[in-house]
Amino acid sequence: GPKVLQIPSHQIIDMGQMVTLNCDPVSNHLYFYWYKQILGQQMEFLVNFYNGKVMEKSKLFKDQFSVERPDGSYFTLKIQPTALEDSAVYFCASSLAGNYAEQFFGPGTRLTVL
Amino acid sequence: GDSVTQTEGQVALSEEDFLTIHCNYSASGYPTLFWYVQYPGEGPQLLFRASRDKEKGSSRGFEATYDKGTTSFHLRKASVQESDSAVYYCALIPSSSFSKLVFGQGTSLSVVP
């Protein structure tokens, strides 16, 4: 089936540094998402993105977070500066349509903030 | 707020056993309900969804029925196989959103031959 890729699979950084997580969505998809899963906890929605704009975001999507997808390249999540509580697995997803459509998930990026 | 509760954190079965994973939700109106499955090293993938009361979703021998009266969407399979070992997530999209998935805690299923 359609595949979403995430780069890197693991990232270790020091608190206060900037990090960019990259997502290569399914090629014809138009809607993009980020979810966060802290170890042992449930996956939580961060943000969705369509047509160059954030459509919905949760309280977890702090001011230090930003997303973009310049001209069909990677869909990125940038955190600047990082904090210890940002340590988690971040899952990217994409879908062809918006309303209740099937979301295809990547394998996740494990981010460790020291 | 909207939430999903899965009561079983881990389930261990033998092949050909019957599987039930319980899922209850809290949300106003008629959320769309989903079951996702996650294999090691991969992201969650959709098993099936249901959007109306009494609607049954099914795929690969798994099934669940949307029950608004009991706010439940329990996952069942009559005869599990070792290849079904994975983490199963119940999730919903609230009627107030169009694509924000709210996940349960996940249930890790282990099936031994």
Side-chain angles (χ1 to χ4, degrees), chain A residues 31 33 35 37 42-43 45 48 56 91 98-103 105-107, chain B residues 32 36 38 41-44 46 49 89 93 97-101 103-105:
Chain A
Y31 294 80
Y33 314 84
Y35 292 83
Q37 186 173 34
Q42 58 214 86
M43 201 174 314
F45 170 83
N48 59 25
E56 293 177 275
F91 291 94
N99 284 7
Y100 312 107
E102 178 177 0
Q103 295 179 26
F105 284 80
Chain B
T32 299
Y36 275 82
Q38 184 179 24
E42 299 181 11
L46 179 67
R49 88 195 86 184
Y89 291 97
I93 293 180
S97 171
F98 71 96
S99 63
K100 181 183 90 170
L101 277 165
F103 283 91
Q105 301 92 324

PDB file of all heavy atoms in Angstrom, chain A residues 31 33 35 37 42-43 45 48 56 91 98-103 105-107, chain B residues 32 36 38 41-44 46 49 89 93 97-101 103-105:
ATOM      1  N   TYR A  31      -3.467  16.330   2.474  1.00  0.00           N
ATOM      2  CA  TYR A  31      -3.621  16.692   3.879  1.00  0.00           C
ATOM      3  C   TYR A  31      -2.526  16.009   4.675  1.00  0.00           C
ATOM      4  O   TYR A  31      -2.231  14.833   4.445  1.00  0.00           O
ATOM      5  CB  TYR A  31      -4.996  16.241   4.407  1.00  0.00           C
ATOM      6  CG  TYR A  31      -6.156  16.965   3.759  1.00  0.00           C
ATOM      7  CD1 TYR A  31      -6.617  16.577   2.505  1.00  0.00           C
ATOM      8  CD2 TYR A  31      -6.784  18.029   4.405  1.00  0.00           C
ATOM      9  CE1 TYR A  31      -7.674  17.244   1.902  1.00  0.00           C
ATOM     10  CE2 TYR A  31      -7.838  18.691   3.807  1.00  0.00           C
ATOM     11  CZ  TYR A  31      -8.270  18.299   2.554  1.00  0.00           C
ATOM     12  OH  TYR A  31      -9.305  18.958   1.955  1.00  0.00           O
ATOM     13  N   TYR A  33      -0.406  15.559   8.617  1.00  0.00           N
ATOM     14  CA  TYR A  33      -0.660  15.545  10.066  1.00  0.00           C
ATOM     15  C   TYR A  33       0.619  15.200  10.818  1.00  0.00           C
ATOM     16  O   TYR A  33       1.470  14.470  10.315  1.00  0.00           O
ATOM     17  CB  TYR A  33      -1.704  14.462  10.415  1.00  0.00           C
ATOM     18  CG  TYR A  33      -2.925  14.442   9.523  1.00  0.00           C
ATOM     19  CD1 TYR A  33      -2.902  13.775   8.311  1.00  0.00           C
ATOM     20  CD2 TYR A  33      -4.096  15.096   9.906  1.00  0.00           C
ATOM     21  CE1 TYR A  33      -4.019  13.754   7.483  1.00  0.00           C
ATOM     22  CE2 TYR A  33      -5.214  15.074   9.090  1.00  0.00           C
ATOM     23  CZ  TYR A  33      -5.165  14.403   7.874  1.00  0.00           C
ATOM     24  OH  TYR A  33      -6.273  14.389   7.059  1.00  0.00           O
ATOM     25  N   TYR A  35       1.426  13.654  14.829  1.00  0.00           N
ATOM     26  CA  TYR A  35       0.961  13.137  16.103  1.00  0.00           C
ATOM     27  C   TYR A  35       2.179  12.891  16.989  1.00  0.00           C
ATOM     28  O   TYR A  35       3.257  12.590  16.495  1.00  0.00           O
ATOM     29  CB  TYR A  35       0.200  11.817  15.924  1.00  0.00           C
ATOM     30  CG  TYR A  35      -1.125  11.958  15.212  1.00  0.00           C
ATOM     31  CD1 TYR A  35      -1.186  11.990  13.820  1.00  0.00           C
ATOM     32  CD2 TYR A  35      -2.321  12.059  15.920  1.00  0.00           C
ATOM     33  CE1 TYR A  35      -2.397  12.127  13.155  1.00  0.00           C
ATOM     34  CE2 TYR A  35      -3.536  12.189  15.279  1.00  0.00           C
ATOM     35  CZ  TYR A  35      -3.565  12.222  13.890  1.00  0.00           C
ATOM     36  OH  TYR A  35      -4.766  12.359  13.236  1.00  0.00           O
ATOM     37  N   GLN A  37       3.616  10.745  20.471  1.00  0.00           N
ATOM     38  CA  GLN A  37       3.379   9.667  21.425  1.00  0.00           C
ATOM     39  C   GLN A  37       4.537   9.600  22.411  1.00  0.00           C
ATOM     40  O   GLN A  37       5.650   9.179  22.059  1.00  0.00           O
ATOM     41  CB  GLN A  37       3.204   8.323  20.719  1.00  0.00           C
ATOM     42  CG  GLN A  37       2.809   7.197  21.659  1.00  0.00           C
ATOM     43  CD  GLN A  37       2.477   5.915  20.935  1.00  0.00           C
ATOM     44  OE1 GLN A  37       3.059   5.588  19.908  1.00  0.00           O
ATOM     45  NE2 GLN A  37       1.504   5.168  21.450  1.00  0.00           N
ATOM     46  N   GLN A  42      -0.770   7.399  25.128  1.00  0.00           N
ATOM     47  CA  GLN A  42      -1.447   7.291  23.841  1.00  0.00           C
ATOM     48  C   GLN A  42      -0.960   8.350  22.867  1.00  0.00           C
ATOM     49  O   GLN A  42      -0.406   9.370  23.253  1.00  0.00           O
ATOM     50  CB  GLN A  42      -2.957   7.366  24.010  1.00  0.00           C
ATOM     51  CG  GLN A  42      -3.484   8.605  24.672  1.00  0.00           C
ATOM     52  CD  GLN A  42      -4.704   8.258  25.510  1.00  0.00           C
ATOM     53  OE1 GLN A  42      -4.579   7.866  26.672  1.00  0.00           O
ATOM     54  NE2 GLN A  42      -5.876   8.395  24.946  1.00  0.00           N
ATOM     55  N   MET A  43      -1.181   8.037  21.596  1.00  0.00           N
ATOM     56  CA  MET A  43      -0.809   8.949  20.525  1.00  0.00           C
ATOM     57  C   MET A  43      -1.747  10.154  20.559  1.00  0.00           C
ATOM     58  O   MET A  43      -2.958   9.992  20.711  1.00  0.00           O
ATOM     59  CB  MET A  43      -0.952   8.212  19.190  1.00  0.00           C
ATOM     60  CG  MET A  43      -0.160   8.801  18.081  1.00  0.00           C
ATOM     61  SD  MET A  43      -0.227   7.791  16.600  1.00  0.00           S
ATOM     62  CE  MET A  43       0.050   6.184  17.239  1.00  0.00           C
ATOM     63  N   PHE A  45      -2.875  13.991  18.803  1.00  0.00           N
ATOM     64  CA  PHE A  45      -2.864  14.877  17.643  1.00  0.00           C
ATOM     65  C   PHE A  45      -2.118  16.170  17.973  1.00  0.00           C
ATOM     66  O   PHE A  45      -2.298  16.765  19.038  1.00  0.00           O
ATOM     67  CB  PHE A  45      -4.317  15.188  17.266  1.00  0.00           C
ATOM     68  CG  PHE A  45      -4.501  16.258  16.237  1.00  0.00           C
ATOM     69  CD1 PHE A  45      -4.403  15.964  14.891  1.00  0.00           C
ATOM     70  CD2 PHE A  45      -4.793  17.563  16.615  1.00  0.00           C
ATOM     71  CE1 PHE A  45      -4.593  16.941  13.932  1.00  0.00           C
ATOM     72  CE2 PHE A  45      -4.986  18.555  15.666  1.00  0.00           C
ATOM     73  CZ  PHE A  45      -4.883  18.240  14.319  1.00  0.00           C
ATOM     74  N   ASN A  48      -2.893  19.555  11.858  1.00  0.00           N
ATOM     75  CA  ASN A  48      -3.082  19.155  10.471  1.00  0.00           C
ATOM     76  C   ASN A  48      -2.887  20.354   9.552  1.00  0.00           C
ATOM     77  O   ASN A  48      -2.971  21.512   9.979  1.00  0.00           O
ATOM     78  CB  ASN A  48      -4.392  18.420  10.229  1.00  0.00           C
ATOM     79  CG  ASN A  48      -5.618  19.226  10.609  1.00  0.00           C
ATOM     80  OD1 ASN A  48      -5.587  20.454  10.635  1.00  0.00           O
ATOM     81  ND2 ASN A  48      -6.702  18.539  10.922  1.00  0.00           N
ATOM     82  N   GLU A  56      -6.081  22.760  11.860  1.00  0.00           N
ATOM     83  CA  GLU A  56      -6.428  22.532  13.264  1.00  0.00           C
ATOM     84  C   GLU A  56      -5.130  22.279  14.013  1.00  0.00           C
ATOM     85  O   GLU A  56      -4.194  21.712  13.457  1.00  0.00           O
ATOM     86  CB  GLU A  56      -7.304  21.274  13.436  1.00  0.00           C
ATOM     87  CG  GLU A  56      -8.692  21.337  12.852  1.00  0.00           C
ATOM     88  CD  GLU A  56      -9.414  20.007  13.031  1.00  0.00           C
ATOM     89  OE1 GLU A  56      -9.220  19.112  12.184  1.00  0.00           O
ATOM     90  OE2 GLU A  56     -10.176  19.867  13.998  1.00  0.00           O
ATOM     91  N   PHE A  91       4.821  10.889  14.869  1.00  0.00           N
ATOM     92  CA  PHE A  91       4.299  10.212  13.687  1.00  0.00           C
ATOM     93  C   PHE A  91       3.737  11.244  12.712  1.00  0.00           C
ATOM     94  O   PHE A  91       2.950  12.112  13.100  1.00  0.00           O
ATOM     95  CB  PHE A  91       3.186   9.232  14.058  1.00  0.00           C
ATOM     96  CG  PHE A  91       3.645   8.028  14.819  1.00  0.00           C
ATOM     97  CD1 PHE A  91       3.619   8.016  16.206  1.00  0.00           C
ATOM     98  CD2 PHE A  91       4.110   6.909  14.147  1.00  0.00           C
ATOM     99  CE1 PHE A  91       4.050   6.901  16.912  1.00  0.00           C
ATOM    100  CE2 PHE A  91       4.536   5.785  14.846  1.00  0.00           C
ATOM    101  CZ  PHE A  91       4.513   5.788  16.234  1.00  0.00           C
ATOM    102  N   GLY A  98      -9.896  15.271   3.208  1.00  0.00           N
ATOM    103  CA  GLY A  98      -9.894  15.723   4.591  1.00  0.00           C
ATOM    104  C   GLY A  98     -10.923  15.023   5.447  1.00  0.00           C
ATOM    105  O   GLY A  98     -10.602  14.415   6.444  1.00  0.00           O
ATOM    106  N   ASN A  99     -12.160  15.078   5.044  1.00  0.00           N
ATOM    107  CA  ASN A  99     -13.228  14.612   5.918  1.00  0.00           C
ATOM    108  C   ASN A  99     -13.163  13.131   6.207  1.00  0.00           C
ATOM    109  O   ASN A  99     -13.505  12.300   5.370  1.00  0.00           O
ATOM    110  CB  ASN A  99     -14.583  14.921   5.279  1.00  0.00           C
ATOM    111  CG  ASN A  99     -14.931  16.389   5.405  1.00  0.00           C
ATOM    112  OD1 ASN A  99     -14.116  17.186   5.850  1.00  0.00           O
ATOM    113  ND2 ASN A  99     -16.138  16.736   5.024  1.00  0.00           N
ATOM    114  N   TYR A 100     -12.731  12.794   7.420  1.00  0.00           N
ATOM    115  CA  TYR A 100     -12.777  11.427   7.933  1.00  0.00           C
ATOM    116  C   TYR A 100     -12.049  10.419   7.032  1.00  0.00           C
ATOM    117  O   TYR A 100     -12.277   9.225   7.121  1.00  0.00           O
ATOM    118  CB  TYR A 100     -14.231  10.972   8.133  1.00  0.00           C
ATOM    119  CG  TYR A 100     -15.047  12.006   8.871  1.00  0.00           C
ATOM    120  CD1 TYR A 100     -16.001  12.771   8.216  1.00  0.00           C
ATOM    121  CD2 TYR A 100     -14.814  12.242  10.221  1.00  0.00           C
ATOM    122  CE1 TYR A 100     -16.713  13.744   8.895  1.00  0.00           C
ATOM    123  CE2 TYR A 100     -15.527  13.218  10.907  1.00  0.00           C
ATOM    124  CZ  TYR A 100     -16.479  13.958  10.239  1.00  0.00           C
ATOM    125  OH  TYR A 100     -17.170  14.923  10.903  1.00  0.00           O
ATOM    126  N   ALA A 101     -11.179  10.923   6.159  1.00  0.00           N
ATOM    127  CA  ALA A 101     -10.493  10.033   5.223  1.00  0.00           C
ATOM    128  C   ALA A 101      -9.429   9.203   5.932  1.00  0.00           C
ATOM    129  O   ALA A 101      -8.929   9.591   6.994  1.00  0.00           O
ATOM    130  CB  ALA A 101      -9.847  10.862   4.112  1.00  0.00           C
ATOM    131  N   GLU A 102      -9.061   8.097   5.331  1.00  0.00           N
ATOM    132  CA  GLU A 102      -8.020   7.236   5.881  1.00  0.00           C
ATOM    133  C   GLU A 102      -6.701   7.997   5.920  1.00  0.00           C
ATOM    134  O   GLU A 102      -6.273   8.573   4.915  1.00  0.00           O
ATOM    135  CB  GLU A 102      -7.853   5.983   5.036  1.00  0.00           C
ATOM    136  CG  GLU A 102      -6.747   5.058   5.538  1.00  0.00           C
ATOM    137  CD  GLU A 102      -6.641   3.784   4.723  1.00  0.00           C
ATOM    138  OE1 GLU A 102      -7.421   3.619   3.760  1.00  0.00           O
ATOM    139  OE2 GLU A 102      -5.772   2.953   5.055  1.00  0.00           O
ATOM    140  N   GLN A 103      -6.084   7.997   7.075  1.00  0.00           N
ATOM    141  CA  GLN A 103      -4.776   8.602   7.239  1.00  0.00           C
ATOM    142  C   GLN A 103      -3.723   7.505   7.177  1.00  0.00           C
ATOM    143  O   GLN A 103      -3.845   6.489   7.862  1.00  0.00           O
ATOM    144  CB  GLN A 103      -4.707   9.365   8.569  1.00  0.00           C
ATOM    145  CG  GLN A 103      -5.656  10.560   8.589  1.00  0.00           C
ATOM    146  CD  GLN A 103      -5.630  11.321   9.898  1.00  0.00           C
ATOM    147  OE1 GLN A 103      -4.653  11.326  10.636  1.00  0.00           O
ATOM    148  NE2 GLN A 103      -6.737  11.998  10.201  1.00  0.00           N
ATOM    149  N   PHE A 105       0.075   6.448   7.948  1.00  0.00           N
ATOM    150  CA  PHE A 105       1.086   6.858   8.905  1.00  0.00           C
ATOM    151  C   PHE A 105       2.484   6.391   8.506  1.00  0.00           C
ATOM    152  O   PHE A 105       2.659   5.291   7.964  1.00  0.00           O
ATOM    153  CB  PHE A 105       0.776   6.274  10.287  1.00  0.00           C
ATOM    154  CG  PHE A 105      -0.343   6.982  10.998  1.00  0.00           C
ATOM    155  CD1 PHE A 105      -1.663   6.708  10.701  1.00  0.00           C
ATOM    156  CD2 PHE A 105      -0.067   7.934  11.974  1.00  0.00           C
ATOM    157  CE1 PHE A 105      -2.695   7.366  11.346  1.00  0.00           C
ATOM    158  CE2 PHE A 105      -1.096   8.596  12.629  1.00  0.00           C
ATOM    159  CZ  PHE A 105      -2.411   8.309  12.316  1.00  0.00           C
ATOM    160  N   GLY A 106       3.469   7.216   8.835  1.00  0.00           N
ATOM    161  CA  GLY A 106       4.854   6.797   8.746  1.00  0.00           C
ATOM    162  C   GLY A 106       5.255   5.994   9.968  1.00  0.00           C
ATOM    163  O   GLY A 106       4.468   5.861  10.905  1.00  0.00           O
ATOM    164  N   PRO A 107       6.489   5.465   9.983  1.00  0.00           N
ATOM    165  CA  PRO A 107       6.944   4.620  11.092  1.00  0.00           C
ATOM    166  C   PRO A 107       7.362   5.400  12.329  1.00  0.00           C
ATOM    167  O   PRO A 107       7.646   4.806  13.370  1.00  0.00           O
ATOM    168  CB  PRO A 107       8.145   3.877  10.496  1.00  0.00           C
ATOM    169  CG  PRO A 107       8.645   4.810   9.447  1.00  0.00           C
ATOM    170  CD  PRO A 107       7.457   5.517   8.890  1.00  0.00           C
TER     171      PRO A 107
ATOM    172  N   THR B  32     -16.929   9.609  14.109  1.00  0.00           N
ATOM    173  CA  THR B  32     -16.548   8.478  13.274  1.00  0.00           C
ATOM    174  C   THR B  32     -15.542   7.639  14.062  1.00  0.00           C
ATOM    175  O   THR B  32     -14.603   8.188  14.652  1.00  0.00           O
ATOM    176  CB  THR B  32     -15.930   8.961  11.954  1.00  0.00           C
ATOM    177  OG1 THR B  32     -16.909   9.731  11.250  1.00  0.00           O
ATOM    178  CG2 THR B  32     -15.510   7.788  11.087  1.00  0.00           C
ATOM    179  N   TYR B  36      -7.274   0.916  14.235  1.00  0.00           N
ATOM    180  CA  TYR B  36      -5.984   0.901  13.555  1.00  0.00           C
ATOM    181  C   TYR B  36      -5.144  -0.232  14.140  1.00  0.00           C
ATOM    182  O   TYR B  36      -5.275  -0.575  15.323  1.00  0.00           O
ATOM    183  CB  TYR B  36      -5.232   2.220  13.762  1.00  0.00           C
ATOM    184  CG  TYR B  36      -5.601   3.326  12.794  1.00  0.00           C
ATOM    185  CD1 TYR B  36      -6.718   4.118  12.999  1.00  0.00           C
ATOM    186  CD2 TYR B  36      -4.816   3.577  11.667  1.00  0.00           C
ATOM    187  CE1 TYR B  36      -7.049   5.136  12.110  1.00  0.00           C
ATOM    188  CE2 TYR B  36      -5.141   4.590  10.775  1.00  0.00           C
ATOM    189  CZ  TYR B  36      -6.260   5.364  11.007  1.00  0.00           C
ATOM    190  OH  TYR B  36      -6.580   6.370  10.119  1.00  0.00           O
ATOM    191  N   GLN B  38      -1.004  -1.612  14.432  1.00  0.00           N
ATOM    192  CA  GLN B  38       0.395  -1.199  14.280  1.00  0.00           C
ATOM    193  C   GLN B  38       1.306  -2.398  14.480  1.00  0.00           C
ATOM    194  O   GLN B  38       1.314  -2.987  15.570  1.00  0.00           O
ATOM    195  CB  GLN B  38       0.742  -0.096  15.273  1.00  0.00           C
ATOM    196  CG  GLN B  38       2.157   0.457  15.108  1.00  0.00           C
ATOM    197  CD  GLN B  38       2.456   1.558  16.102  1.00  0.00           C
ATOM    198  OE1 GLN B  38       1.856   1.641  17.167  1.00  0.00           O
ATOM    199  NE2 GLN B  38       3.393   2.434  15.762  1.00  0.00           N
ATOM    200  N   GLY B  41       7.854  -1.589  14.177  1.00  0.00           N
ATOM    201  CA  GLY B  41       8.647  -0.818  13.218  1.00  0.00           C
ATOM    202  C   GLY B  41       7.836  -0.068  12.178  1.00  0.00           C
ATOM    203  O   GLY B  41       8.415   0.561  11.285  1.00  0.00           O
ATOM    204  N   GLU B  42       6.510  -0.122  12.294  1.00  0.00           N
ATOM    205  CA  GLU B  42       5.660   0.562  11.307  1.00  0.00           C
ATOM    206  C   GLU B  42       4.734   1.548  12.011  1.00  0.00           C
ATOM    207  O   GLU B  42       4.567   1.514  13.227  1.00  0.00           O
ATOM    208  CB  GLU B  42       4.829  -0.458  10.530  1.00  0.00           C
ATOM    209  CG  GLU B  42       5.653  -1.451   9.745  1.00  0.00           C
ATOM    210  CD  GLU B  42       4.776  -2.424   8.970  1.00  0.00           C
ATOM    211  OE1 GLU B  42       3.555  -2.199   8.881  1.00  0.00           O
ATOM    212  OE2 GLU B  42       5.326  -3.419   8.467  1.00  0.00           O
ATOM    213  N   GLY B  43       4.108   2.404  11.207  1.00  0.00           N
ATOM    214  CA  GLY B  43       3.082   3.268  11.765  1.00  0.00           C
ATOM    215  C   GLY B  43       1.738   2.554  11.779  1.00  0.00           C
ATOM    216  O   GLY B  43       1.573   1.498  11.161  1.00  0.00           O
ATOM    217  N   PRO B  44       0.769   3.130  12.490  1.00  0.00           N
ATOM    218  CA  PRO B  44      -0.572   2.530  12.493  1.00  0.00           C
ATOM    219  C   PRO B  44      -1.156   2.488  11.080  1.00  0.00           C
ATOM    220  O   PRO B  44      -0.914   3.394  10.280  1.00  0.00           O
ATOM    221  CB  PRO B  44      -1.382   3.475  13.392  1.00  0.00           C
ATOM    222  CG  PRO B  44      -0.371   4.211  14.200  1.00  0.00           C
ATOM    223  CD  PRO B  44       0.833   4.328  13.344  1.00  0.00           C
ATOM    224  N   LEU B  46      -4.953   1.607   8.954  1.00  0.00           N
ATOM    225  CA  LEU B  46      -6.384   1.473   9.173  1.00  0.00           C
ATOM    226  C   LEU B  46      -6.849   0.039   8.953  1.00  0.00           C
ATOM    227  O   LEU B  46      -6.540  -0.585   7.943  1.00  0.00           O
ATOM    228  CB  LEU B  46      -7.134   2.405   8.218  1.00  0.00           C
ATOM    229  CG  LEU B  46      -8.659   2.380   8.307  1.00  0.00           C
ATOM    230  CD1 LEU B  46      -9.114   2.960   9.657  1.00  0.00           C
ATOM    231  CD2 LEU B  46      -9.291   3.171   7.167  1.00  0.00           C
ATOM    232  N   ARG B  49     -13.424   1.468   9.552  1.00  0.00           N
ATOM    233  CA  ARG B  49     -14.082   2.561  10.260  1.00  0.00           C
ATOM    234  C   ARG B  49     -15.605   2.368  10.212  1.00  0.00           C
ATOM    235  O   ARG B  49     -16.104   1.570   9.421  1.00  0.00           O
ATOM    236  CB  ARG B  49     -13.713   3.901   9.623  1.00  0.00           C
ATOM    237  CG  ARG B  49     -14.623   4.332   8.480  1.00  0.00           C
ATOM    238  CD  ARG B  49     -14.045   5.435   7.658  1.00  0.00           C
ATOM    239  NE  ARG B  49     -13.173   4.866   6.626  1.00  0.00           N
ATOM    240  CZ  ARG B  49     -12.464   5.564   5.785  1.00  0.00           C
ATOM    241  NH1 ARG B  49     -12.493   6.876   5.850  1.00  0.00           N
ATOM    242  NH2 ARG B  49     -11.712   4.991   4.891  1.00  0.00           N
ATOM    243  N   TYR B  89      -5.292  -0.057  18.029  1.00  0.00           N
ATOM    244  CA  TYR B  89      -5.754   1.222  18.553  1.00  0.00           C
ATOM    245  C   TYR B  89      -7.191   1.486  18.120  1.00  0.00           C
ATOM    246  O   TYR B  89      -7.516   1.414  16.925  1.00  0.00           O
ATOM    247  CB  TYR B  89      -4.895   2.373  18.028  1.00  0.00           C
ATOM    248  CG  TYR B  89      -3.483   2.416  18.540  1.00  0.00           C
ATOM    249  CD1 TYR B  89      -2.435   1.887  17.799  1.00  0.00           C
ATOM    250  CD2 TYR B  89      -3.192   3.001  19.774  1.00  0.00           C
ATOM    251  CE1 TYR B  89      -1.126   1.942  18.265  1.00  0.00           C
ATOM    252  CE2 TYR B  89      -1.887   3.063  20.245  1.00  0.00           C
ATOM    253  CZ  TYR B  89      -0.859   2.520  19.472  1.00  0.00           C
ATOM    254  OH  TYR B  89       0.430   2.583  19.949  1.00  0.00           O
ATOM    255  N   ILE B  93     -12.796  10.338  15.292  1.00  0.00           N
ATOM    256  CA  ILE B  93     -12.733  11.732  14.858  1.00  0.00           C
ATOM    257  C   ILE B  93     -14.025  12.374  15.337  1.00  0.00           C
ATOM    258  O   ILE B  93     -15.117  11.945  14.959  1.00  0.00           O
ATOM    259  CB  ILE B  93     -12.582  11.877  13.339  1.00  0.00           C
ATOM    260  CG1 ILE B  93     -11.211  11.346  12.910  1.00  0.00           C
ATOM    261  CG2 ILE B  93     -12.732  13.345  12.929  1.00  0.00           C
ATOM    262  CD1 ILE B  93     -10.955  11.430  11.410  1.00  0.00           C
ATOM    263  N   SER B  97     -14.717  18.008  14.425  1.00  0.00           N
ATOM    264  CA  SER B  97     -13.493  18.113  13.637  1.00  0.00           C
ATOM    265  C   SER B  97     -13.742  17.448  12.285  1.00  0.00           C
ATOM    266  O   SER B  97     -14.833  16.958  12.040  1.00  0.00           O
ATOM    267  CB  SER B  97     -12.354  17.413  14.381  1.00  0.00           C
ATOM    268  OG  SER B  97     -11.192  17.294  13.597  1.00  0.00           O
ATOM    269  N   PHE B  98     -12.749  17.417  11.428  1.00  0.00           N
ATOM    270  CA  PHE B  98     -12.903  16.638  10.201  1.00  0.00           C
ATOM    271  C   PHE B  98     -11.763  15.651  10.008  1.00  0.00           C
ATOM    272  O   PHE B  98     -11.849  14.748   9.204  1.00  0.00           O
ATOM    273  CB  PHE B  98     -13.032  17.545   8.967  1.00  0.00           C
ATOM    274  CG  PHE B  98     -11.762  18.258   8.577  1.00  0.00           C
ATOM    275  CD1 PHE B  98     -10.929  17.752   7.597  1.00  0.00           C
ATOM    276  CD2 PHE B  98     -11.399  19.447   9.199  1.00  0.00           C
ATOM    277  CE1 PHE B  98      -9.757  18.415   7.237  1.00  0.00           C
ATOM    278  CE2 PHE B  98     -10.234  20.106   8.843  1.00  0.00           C
ATOM    279  CZ  PHE B  98      -9.420  19.589   7.854  1.00  0.00           C
ATOM    280  N   SER B  99     -10.691  15.832  10.800  1.00  0.00           N
ATOM    281  CA  SER B  99      -9.588  14.894  10.575  1.00  0.00           C
ATOM    282  C   SER B  99      -8.710  14.683  11.802  1.00  0.00           C
ATOM    283  O   SER B  99      -7.691  14.025  11.697  1.00  0.00           O
ATOM    284  CB  SER B  99      -8.724  15.373   9.414  1.00  0.00           C
ATOM    285  OG  SER B  99      -8.132  16.614   9.729  1.00  0.00           O
ATOM    286  N   LYS B 100      -9.071  15.213  12.947  1.00  0.00           N
ATOM    287  CA  LYS B 100      -8.247  15.061  14.143  1.00  0.00           C
ATOM    288  C   LYS B 100      -8.567  13.742  14.815  1.00  0.00           C
ATOM    289  O   LYS B 100      -9.607  13.585  15.449  1.00  0.00           O
ATOM    290  CB  LYS B 100      -8.523  16.224  15.108  1.00  0.00           C
ATOM    291  CG  LYS B 100      -7.695  16.162  16.374  1.00  0.00           C
ATOM    292  CD  LYS B 100      -8.057  17.295  17.321  1.00  0.00           C
ATOM    293  CE  LYS B 100      -9.174  16.880  18.251  1.00  0.00           C
ATOM    294  NZ  LYS B 100      -9.400  17.862  19.325  1.00  0.00           N
ATOM    295  N   LEU B 101      -7.665  12.782  14.698  1.00  0.00           N
ATOM    296  CA  LEU B 101      -7.864  11.487  15.328  1.00  0.00           C
ATOM    297  C   LEU B 101      -7.563  11.572  16.815  1.00  0.00           C
ATOM    298  O   LEU B 101      -6.532  12.112  17.222  1.00  0.00           O
ATOM    299  CB  LEU B 101      -6.946  10.434  14.693  1.00  0.00           C
ATOM    300  CG  LEU B 101      -7.418   9.779  13.400  1.00  0.00           C
ATOM    301  CD1 LEU B 101      -6.261   9.064  12.726  1.00  0.00           C
ATOM    302  CD2 LEU B 101      -8.563   8.815  13.678  1.00  0.00           C
ATOM    303  N   PHE B 103      -6.935   8.988  19.851  1.00  0.00           N
ATOM    304  CA  PHE B 103      -6.599   7.575  20.014  1.00  0.00           C
ATOM    305  C   PHE B 103      -6.845   7.082  21.434  1.00  0.00           C
ATOM    306  O   PHE B 103      -6.711   7.831  22.406  1.00  0.00           O
ATOM    307  CB  PHE B 103      -5.118   7.341  19.695  1.00  0.00           C
ATOM    308  CG  PHE B 103      -4.798   7.337  18.226  1.00  0.00           C
ATOM    309  CD1 PHE B 103      -4.432   8.509  17.580  1.00  0.00           C
ATOM    310  CD2 PHE B 103      -4.846   6.154  17.493  1.00  0.00           C
ATOM    311  CE1 PHE B 103      -4.122   8.503  16.224  1.00  0.00           C
ATOM    312  CE2 PHE B 103      -4.533   6.150  16.141  1.00  0.00           C
ATOM    313  CZ  PHE B 103      -4.181   7.326  15.506  1.00  0.00           C
ATOM    314  N   GLY B 104      -7.146   5.786  21.539  1.00  0.00           N
ATOM    315  CA  GLY B 104      -7.084   5.107  22.818  1.00  0.00           C
ATOM    316  C   GLY B 104      -5.638   4.743  23.140  1.00  0.00           C
ATOM    317  O   GLY B 104      -4.720   5.040  22.376  1.00  0.00           O
ATOM    318  N   GLN B 105      -5.460   4.081  24.279  1.00  0.00           N
ATOM    319  CA  GLN B 105      -4.125   3.787  24.776  1.00  0.00           C
ATOM    320  C   GLN B 105      -3.430   2.675  24.009  1.00  0.00           C
ATOM    321  O   GLN B 105      -2.217   2.493  24.122  1.00  0.00           O
ATOM    322  CB  GLN B 105      -4.189   3.395  26.259  1.00  0.00           C
ATOM    323  CG  GLN B 105      -4.777   4.459  27.157  1.00  0.00           C
ATOM    324  CD  GLN B 105      -6.274   4.309  27.340  1.00  0.00           C
ATOM    325  OE1 GLN B 105      -7.000   3.910  26.410  1.00  0.00           O
ATOM    326  NE2 GLN B 105      -6.750   4.635  28.519  1.00  0.00           N
TER     327      GLN B 105
END
